Amino acid sequence: MSGVSATGTLGTASSQSPAKKPKKRQAPDSVLGTLMKIVLLGIVDAIAVYVLIQLASKHEWLIFGISLAVTLLINWIYLRRGGLPAKYLAPGVFFLLIFQVFVMLYSTYIAFTNYGDGHNSSKEDAITAIQLAAQERVPNSPQYAATVLEKSGTLYLLVTEPDGKAKLGTTGEVLQEVTPSTKSSTGQATGVDGYRTLEFTDLLQNQQAVTAVKAPISDNPADGSLATSDGSTAYVFAPKLKYDAAADTFTDTTTGAVYSDNGKGAFASADGQQLSTGWKIDVGFANFQRAFTDPNLSGPLWQVTLWTFAFAFLSVLTTFALGLFLAIAFNRADLRGKRIYRVLMILPYAFPAFLSGLVWSGLLNPEFGFINNALLGGADIPWLTDPWLAKFSVLLVNLWLGYPYMFLVCTGALQSLPEEVDEAARMDGASAWRIFRSIKLPLLLVSVAPLLISSFAFNFNNFNVIYMLTGGGPRFDGTTYDIGATDILITMVYKVAFGGTGRDYGLASALAIIIFIIVAVISTISFNKTKALEEIN
Amino acid sequence: MSSEVLPQRRTNSRGEVKMPFGRWFREKGWRHLVAVAAIVFSIFPLLYVLSAALDPSGTMVGSNALFSNLSFGNFTELFENQERPFGKWFVNTLVIGLITSALTVFLGALAAYAFSRMRFKGRRIGLLSLLLLQMFPQILTVVAIFLLLNFLGDIIPAIGLGSGLGLIMVYLGGALGVNTYLMYGFFNTVPQSLDESARIDGASHVQVFFRIILPLVTPILAVVGLLSFIGISSEFVIASVVLTDPDSQTLAVGLYSYVSEQRSENWGVFAAGAVLAALPVMALFLFLQRYITSGLTAGGVKG
C-alpha cells in the first residue's frame, strides 16, 4: 500500500507544474496514421450515411437534421488541423451525450406525458387500434369459403369470393388478390405456392390461433375484416365502435353509447367509461401531482423515500464499522495467517452482486431456507416476509456484500497514517481506545470521507440487492401498486415502469426526476463539505 | 483450523519467548478469533451455493444438508435446458462484457490523455461535468433508454431492443466518468518530461499516446477494465429491459428468470449456474487482487 501515498504526491506535483508551455509544433502524422484516420472516418461516415437514408425514408426530419449536424461536426473535428483535445474527447463524449445526457433530458420530457400501457402512440394510431380491437361479426354478412395457410409460423387466410376471386391476407396485412395453385371441385381456392395448407387435425390443434386471424378487407379499418371460426367459412367482422371523424367520437353500435375525446389522451363516455386504448399527450405536472396526492402512491412514496435514506445510511455505517474494526484487528505486521485471512474475507466482494441477493434469498427462505431449517433447527422466522425483519435481512445481506470493500479501503488508509503520532500519544500515556478515537479515526475519516459519500450514493440506488433478495416485498397494504416495505426509490421506479401490472412510463420518469433532484441536493451538499473538487486545477 | 488459532508457544517480534497466554490473547489472540468469525460469515453462503449445486435433489430443502450427497446432475440439466440456454447466456455475458470493458478503457484513456496532457478551454468545466454526471446513474433513465432503443430499432434493427450491440452502446454512455477520473489521476503521475522528449525526437501525439503513455499506465487500465467487466456482467436493470429474448440474454437476466418464480424448485440448477457464473469472475478477481486493492485505495485516498 506504500504506492498509495507515492501516487498521491506525484499526482499533485505534476498536475500543478505544466500549464505554461509555449505552443509546440505538432509532429506530422505518419503515413500509417493518416491511412488509419481515413479508414476510421470512412467507416463512421458510411454508417452515418446509412442512418441518414433510413431516417429520410421514415420522414424523421428533426432527427435527420440533428444526425446530419453531428456527422458534419465529427468530420470537422477530425479533418481540420489543430483542435487536438477535441479529437481525443469526441468518441467518449459522443456516447456520453446520447446515452447519458440525452436520455436524462428525454426522461424529463416523458415525465410530463402520460406515456405508458394504452398511451404509447398518436391519436390516429389509437383510433385505428380501437377499430381493430372491437370487432364483431356483421349480421347477415356474406359468407366466404376459406382455407387456412401457414408460412414461417404465421397463419394466413385464403378466401374465395362468390365471384371466384381468391384473396390472401392475415392480421395486419390487407387481403390481396392471388392466383391459387390448387382448387377444390367447387372452385374454392385451397393452396398457394410457398404456403402450406393446414389439414383438419392442424386446424383442431391451433383452433385459438386460427380464430384470431383477422384479415382486413381494406386499408380503412371501418370496412372491417374477414375471420373464420371453423377454418372453412369466413365472415365479415366490423368494428363494434364506429368512428365519426367529423364529431371526433366513437359510437357503440350495440348500446348506442357515445365516447368522445376527454382531453386526457383517451375516449370516454359521458358517465366516465373509458376506452382502453388511448394516445400520448402532455399532461404537465399531473404525474408529479399524482406522486404526492394519489392515496395509492403518496403514502408509500414517503415510506419508500424514508427507507431509501435509512437503507443507504445504515448500509454505509454498518459496512464501514465492521470493515474498520477488521482492518484494525488485522493491522499488525506480526499477525500470522494475515494473507490467507484477507483473501477468504474478501470473497463476498468478488462474488457477482446479482447472485448474492438470490443466494441469500434461498438461505433466508422461511419455509425451506438453510438458516431456519438447518441453523435454527426448524424455526419459523419470517425473514423476508415480515416488514421489519425483511429490512433487517436486506441490511444484513448488504453488510455481507459491502464490508470487504470497506475493509480493503480502511486497511489502505490505516497504513498510510503516520506512525509517529501514534507513538507520541502512547508516550503521553494515552490508551489504545483514546488513540483510536481522538487521533486515528479523525485522520482516517479525512481520507475515506469521499469514499463513504460515494458508497452512500451507490447504496442509494443499490438495485440488485433489494430486487434480488426481497423484490421490494412484503407489499404494502392499501395500494394497488406493487410497492413494499423494502423497496427503495429505484426499485419502485423499475416496477412502475416495467412491472407486471401495467406500464406507466410517465409516472416512472416523474419518480426518476424526483430521485434526480434528491441526488443533486445530496451531491451539492457533500461536494461543498468535502471539497472533493479542489484537486481539479 | 484450531491449531492455527491458538498456538500456545510463540516468539513475538521483539524476541520475547513464551508470552503469558492472557497477554498474548489481549494483544493478538483475539484477532485470530475475529478473523475466524469473519471468515465463517464470509464463506458460509458460498459453501452453501456450492453444496446446493452439487446436491442431486435439486430443491432448496435438499440443499440444507451440506455436502451430504454429491452429483453433477444439476450441471448437466443446466446445459440441457433448451428454454433457458445457459451456454448462450455465458457467451453473451463474455462478449458484451469484454467488448464494453475494452472500449470503455480505450475511450476513457483517450479522454484522460487529453485532460492530463493538454490545456484547453473548457478543460476544468469538462472534468467537473464528468464528476457531476456520474452522480446520476444510468439506471434512473432506464425508461428513456428503453424508448430510445425502441425508436432506434425502427431505423437500424441491429441496435434496437433485443440486440447486444445496442446494449453495449448504452453502456458506453458511462465510459467517461469515474473511469476517466481514475485514469486521469494515474496519467498525471507519468512525468511529462517523458512525452516531451519523445516529441523532440519527432513522435506525433498519437505515437506518444500509444507507445509511451499507454504502456506506462497499464496497471490502471487493467483495474478499470476489470472493474467495468465485473460491473457489466452483474448489471441487471438495463440488460433485463433491453434483452427480451432468452437467446440474447446475459447471465444476470437469465439466472434471475430461473428463480423469479418457483424459487425452491429450480434451486439446484440455479446454484449450479451461479457457481459457473461466479467462478471465473472470482478467479480473475483473486488473481488481480493486488491491483484492484491499490486502485481502490488510490482512488479513495485521493478522493
Side-chain angles (χ1 to χ4, degrees), chain B residues 110-125:
Chain B
L110 285 175
Y113 177 59
F115 281 125
S116 166
R117 289 310 202 249
M118 301 166 197
R119 293 295 176 272
F120 51 92
K121 229 194 243 172
R123 173 175 170 276
R124 196 187 139 78
I125 198 88

Side-chain angles (χ1 to χ4, degrees), chain A residues 14 21 55 58 88 99 328-329 341-342 358 361 368 370 400 403 464 494 505 516 533 535-536, chain B residues 31-32 34 41-42 61 64 117 124 131 136 138 146 154-155 181 188 205 234 240 263 267 289 302:
Chain A
S14 68
K21 55 182 178 213
L55 282 169
K58 298 246 158 63
Y88 279 88
F99 292 105
I328 290 170
Y341 287 159
R342 222 173 82 142
L358 292 172
S361 79
F368 316 108
F370 181 79
W400 182 80
Y403 88 88
N464 274 357
Y494 181 79
Y505 302 140
F516 273 145
L533 300 178
E535 235 197 295
I536 311 169
Chain B
R31 295 170 201 265
H32 289 285
V34 167
F41 179 51
S42 278
V61 182
N64 287 339
R117 289 310 202 249
R124 196 187 139 78
L131 258 186
F136 301 96
Q138 256 185 328
F146 169 77
D154 285 345
I155 296 161
Y181 212 65
N188 281 341
H205 59 90
S234 281
S240 77
R263 196 155 290 201
W267 195 244
Q289 195 221 120
K302 285 193 303 174

Side-chain angles (χ1 to χ4, degrees), chain A residues 319-342:
Chain A
T319 51
F320 179 65
L322 185 57
L324 179 61
F325 172 67
L326 289 171
I328 290 170
F330 287 13
N331 192 27
R332 253 187 98 109
D334 59 345
L335 191 72
R336 275 213 185 174
K338 201 162 73 167
R339 286 180 67 175
I340 183 80
Y341 287 159
R342 222 173 82 142

